[in-house]
């Protein structure tokens, strides 16, 4: 059960922080604050709302400056907070799942990437790779040199 609550806390933190960077945040912020405050207590909800806004400012500043660690820290803080809240009150898991379902339509969509390549003419004797976000590849060309004639040679 602990692993399930930890995964739910991670999903919640990712969703909340993901929404912070969107226009939808203004629509869902109050609902998130009420959930995190543990109910309808206006004073607690306002305090959590202020914390959420501080986190949002930190997140946006980190993203503007390219500080991915800073952005990840904001998510980690809310993941820890949610995990503690769920550990202290396991009944809140149902409410968090319902909130995540409610927020799903507001989640930013994954970016769509379109790649168009064309190769015309010539002879190619090496690998061709097409993809998105490829890193860490190594090609070793330790084979025999081809004795194929060049096009047009006679």
């Amino acid at each position: 059960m602990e692993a399930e609550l930890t995964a739910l806390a991670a999903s919640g933190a990712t969703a909340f922080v993901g929404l912070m960077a969107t226009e939808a945040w203004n629509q869902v912020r109050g609902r998130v604050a009420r959930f995190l405050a543990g109910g309808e207590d206006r004073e607690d909800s306002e305090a959590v709302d202020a914390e959420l806004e501080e986190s949002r400012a930190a997140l946006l500043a980190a993203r503007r400056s390219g500080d991915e660690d800073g952005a990840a820290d904001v998510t980690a803080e809310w993941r820890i907070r949610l995990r503690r809240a769920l550990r202290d009150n396991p009944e809140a898991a149902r409410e968090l799942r319902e909130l995540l379902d409610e927020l799903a339509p507001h989640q930013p969509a994954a970016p769509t990437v379109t790649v168009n390549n064309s190769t015309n003419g010539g002879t190619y004797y090496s690998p061709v790779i097409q993809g998105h976000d490829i890193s860490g590849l190594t090609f070793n060309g330790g084979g025999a040199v081809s004795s194929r004639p060049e096009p047009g040679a006679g």
Side-chain angles (χ1 to χ4, degrees), residues 73-142:
D73 288 347
V74 173
T75 303
E77 289 173 22
W78 287 104
R79 184 183 67 244
I80 291 166
R81 185 162 177 177
L82 281 171
R83 189 178 70 228
R84 287 181 185 151
L86 293 172
R87 186 182 59 219
D88 294 345
N89 181 10
E91 291 81 36
R94 180 188 50 76
E95 187 179 351
L96 179 55
R97 283 186 193 96
E98 289 173 2
L99 177 58
L100 292 175
D101 288 344
E102 181 182 319
L103 298 179
H106 298 286
Q107 291 292 331
T112 301
V113 177
T114 302
V115 177
N116 295 307
N117 290 333
S118 63
T119 304
N120 296 314
T123 303
Y124 302 95
Y125 299 104
S126 62
V128 175
I129 298 172
Q130 177 178 328
H132 185 268
D133 293 335
I134 298 174
S135 64
L137 296 178
T138 302
F139 292 95
N140 296 313

Side-chain angles (χ1 to χ4, degrees), residues 19 48 74 145:
L19 285 167
V48 171
V74 173
V145 175

